[in-house]
Amino acid sequence: MLNNPVKTDVLIIGAGPAGAIAAANLHRLGHRVLVLERETFPRFSIGESLLPHCMTYVEEAGMLEAVNAHGFQFKNGAAFRHQDRYTWYDFEEKFSPGPGTTFQVDRAQFDKLLADEAARQGVEIRYKHTITQVNLQGATAQASFTDAEGKPGTVECRFILDASGFGRVLPRLLDLEAPSDFPVRQAVFTHVDDRIAEGEFDRSKILVTVHPEERDIWYWLIPFSDGRCSIGVVATREKIALRKEETLVAQLQRFIAEAPELKHLLRNARFNYMAREIVGYSAKVKTLAGDKFALLGNAGEFLDPVFSSGVTIAMRSASTAAKVLDRQLRGENVDWQTEYEEPLRQGINTFRVFVETWYDGRFQDVIFYPNQTPAVRRMISSVLAGYAWDTANPFVDAPLRRMTALVDFCRQQTP
Ligand SMILES: Cc1cc2nc3c(=O)[nH]c(=O)nc-3n(C[C@H](O)[C@H](O)[C@H](O)COP(=O)(O)OP(=O)(O)OC[C@H]3O[C@@H](n4cnc5c(N)ncnc54)[C@H](O)[C@@H]3O)c2cc1C
């Protein structure tokens, strides 16, 4: 490590939603925070459909007014389609207290807004700074970086929060990665000028379409407020490979052509923008925290995009970690396992049950069951709105047991 390190209390790696929220909260609590971010903002990121629960953390970080004022697409629920079956959950009709609406966002704009808000509050963010190495052995933590000109530098700090997303800086450097429980899935996606006629489509909800024959393949359609939609397909790597085409856009269009209702909805769409793919995004770690470090958001665990839980988990992890770290920096003894890792995993595990039973078709049978009682609908709506930590909800308290019982009931009642 080099001489003359930059000194701070907390180094945050990455200025995405987890990094920006953690930085703002710690700064407000009186700690010196430095955020080093590899890119310049705005930069592309996937994850455009937010859940209402994340607005709790946007508000806590003092960013609600800016987010509300930006003009993002209002969102109040999630709609699901499989062949001729169509249903939706209204997030305002939910079991848990808290916000019932949110937004669908172009992440380049949204992430820049959050980072700029953190900077406006006084947080120092240095862009084009890439963390390359860490040393947690001494009394303080040290991290090496290269700056915009490629020059090396060092940060010395009391604690590192890794909010590097799919960069997964500390899991890689500290050998914390563990094999994911999920098969390798792939997403192919783009933005389109959707040109969907008014009244034909509820723009205030994400539309999740299940492939007509292969129920482990699904599509997202996420409308923005400017006439564009984000459209993507998710399938196992093998199933994506079976539909190989010259370009990613052509491959995505081939998938869309297999889902007649979606194809019809997008019949006038213009595929004007670059398509992208992500393979094997699910990630797991041996631990979410250790001596002088904690992992936030995607740098820790990422399950699956199907219920749009990523940004909410990222923000919740940032909020929880900032509170625990504040106490530690003030000299209190804290236990990261019981105060950070275990509580965070409660919600991650709730989502895990929903994701697993989605892909094997069980939760799909619940979603499309037409006679669900309003009470059960509110409990499910709550989890889909991001309230996956409210143990007063039976589907959070005992997710697998409750889900299994509900699946059995719905399947028995369905002719
Ligand atoms: C196909 C797909 C669809 C998804 N859809 C949704 C959705 O609809 N809704 C939702 O909520 N979530 C969704 N997600 C998940 C979502 O993308 C993530 O959960 C979310 O972006 C995590 O935020 P973060 O702050 O942890 O990381 P990020 O937003 O990824 O931010 C990490 C930052 O760290 C920086 N960084 C990386 N390495 C370094 C380094 N070495 N040094 C310095 N900086 C570094 C990066 O440049 C980046 O800016 C989806 C994910 C996938 C794969």
Side-chain angles (χ1 to χ4, degrees), residues 13-325:
I13 310 173
I21 296 278
N25 287 356
L26 283 163
H27 175 79
R28 199 183 50 252
L29 291 164
H31 305 292
R32 287 179 307 161
V33 182
L34 174 64
V35 183
L36 296 190
E37 163 58 52
R38 189 180 57 191
E39 310 290 330
T40 45
F41 279 19
R43 55 94 181 89
F44 179 84
S45 181
I46 192 63
E48 297 145 325
S49 191
L50 305 180
L51 300 183
H53 184 37
C54 85
M55 303 312 285
T56 315
Y57 304 110
V58 171
E59 183 170 21
E60 182 189 65
M63 301 175 181
L64 188 60
E65 212 177 308
V67 169
N68 280 341
H70 188 84
F72 292 120
Q73 171 64 49
F74 173 80
K75 174 182 173 185
N76 64 9
F80 296 88
R81 178 178 286 287
H82 180 227
Q83 297 176 337
D84 57 352
R85 296 186 296 180
Y86 177 82
T87 186
W88 73 89
Y89 282 84
D90 180 339
F91 290 158
E92 290 188 280
E93 290 168 13
K94 61 177 169 46
F95 175 89
S96 304
T101 66
T102 184
F103 298 103
Q104 316 210 108
V105 300
D106 181 319
R107 282 287 300 279
Q109 294 173 31
F110 181 71
D111 290 13
K112 178 162 169 36
L113 183 68
L114 298 188
D116 286 352
E117 280 297 297
R120 193 183 55 76
Q121 293 176 24
V123 171
E124 184 183 355
I125 305 178
R126 296 190 192 177
Y127 293 95
K128 283 281 182 201
H129 280 62
T130 305
I131 298 290
T132 53
Q133 248 187 61
V134 294
N135 179 0
L136 305 177
Q137 301 306 320
T140 56
Q142 297 184 330
S144 305
F145 63 83
T146 51
D147 70 10
E149 283 83 44
K151 284 206 304 265
T154 308
V155 178
E156 188 181 310
C157 58
R158 296 170 69 187
F159 204 90
I160 301 178
L161 290 176
D162 184 3
S164 63
F166 292 117
R168 307 181 60 70
V169 173
L170 291 191
R172 290 185 210 277
L173 292 176
L174 302 178
D175 189 25
L176 301 174
E177 294 191 288
S180 165
D181 308 329
F182 293 111
V184 177
R185 292 201 173 88
Q186 184 169 350
V188 181
F189 47 92
T190 191
H191 292 166
V192 293
D193 293 319
D194 61 80
R195 304 177 0 133
I196 301 172
E198 226 182 301
E200 204 184 342
F201 176 44
D202 181 355
R203 295 193 83 88
S204 60
K205 293 179 180 63
I206 181 176
L207 173 64
V208 173
T209 301
V210 180
H211 188 282
E213 284 90 36
E214 297 169 77
R215 291 175 72 193
D216 62 337
I217 301 178
W218 63 275
Y219 311 75
W220 74 72
L221 191 64
I222 300 174
F224 297 138
S225 55
D226 62 1
R228 290 177 306 148
C229 269
S230 171
I231 167 81
V233 63
V234 175
T236 57
R237 193 166 43 180
E238 295 75 25
K239 291 190 177 186
I240 298 260
L242 280 176
R243 279 95 163 171
K244 193 94 197 104
E245 293 285 339
E246 283 284 296
T247 63
L248 285 176
V249 169
Q251 195 174 22
L252 180 56
Q253 286 173 317
R254 180 165 168 187
F255 269 102
I256 293 168
E258 293 177 18
E261 288 80 13
L262 189 60
K263 184 181 169 202
H264 181 72
L265 203 54
L266 290 173
R267 64 194 177 282
N268 298 318
R270 296 217 167 120
F271 287 73
N272 287 337
Y273 307 95
M274 188 183 125
R276 299 169 192 259
E277 63 183 337
I278 296 190
V279 189
Y281 40 70
S282 300
K284 214 175 151 182
V285 282
K286 294 172 197 159
T287 180
L288 287 174
D291 183 29
K292 302 189 207 68
F293 78 89
L295 311 179
L296 309 183
N298 270 21
E301 200 138 326
F302 180 68
L303 299 172
D304 190 272
V306 65
F307 300 120
S308 308
S309 59
V311 170
T312 298
I313 293 173
M315 290 189 177
R316 179 149 180 136
S317 70
S319 166
T320 309
K323 288 182 186 119
V324 178
L325 183 52

Side-chain angles (χ1 to χ4, degrees), residues 338-371:
T338 56
E339 295 179 54
Y340 177 67
E341 174 139 7
E342 287 168 22
L344 191 65
R345 283 198 187 279
Q346 163 105 49
I348 294 175
N349 289 336
T350 305
F351 279 120
R352 184 189 309 282
V353 168
F354 277 56
V355 168
E356 278 170 0
T357 55
W358 167 267
Y359 281 102
D360 67 20
R362 286 183 289 164
F363 184 43
Q364 292 182 23
D365 288 347
V366 168
I367 285 182
F368 291 112
Y369 175 64
N371 303 321

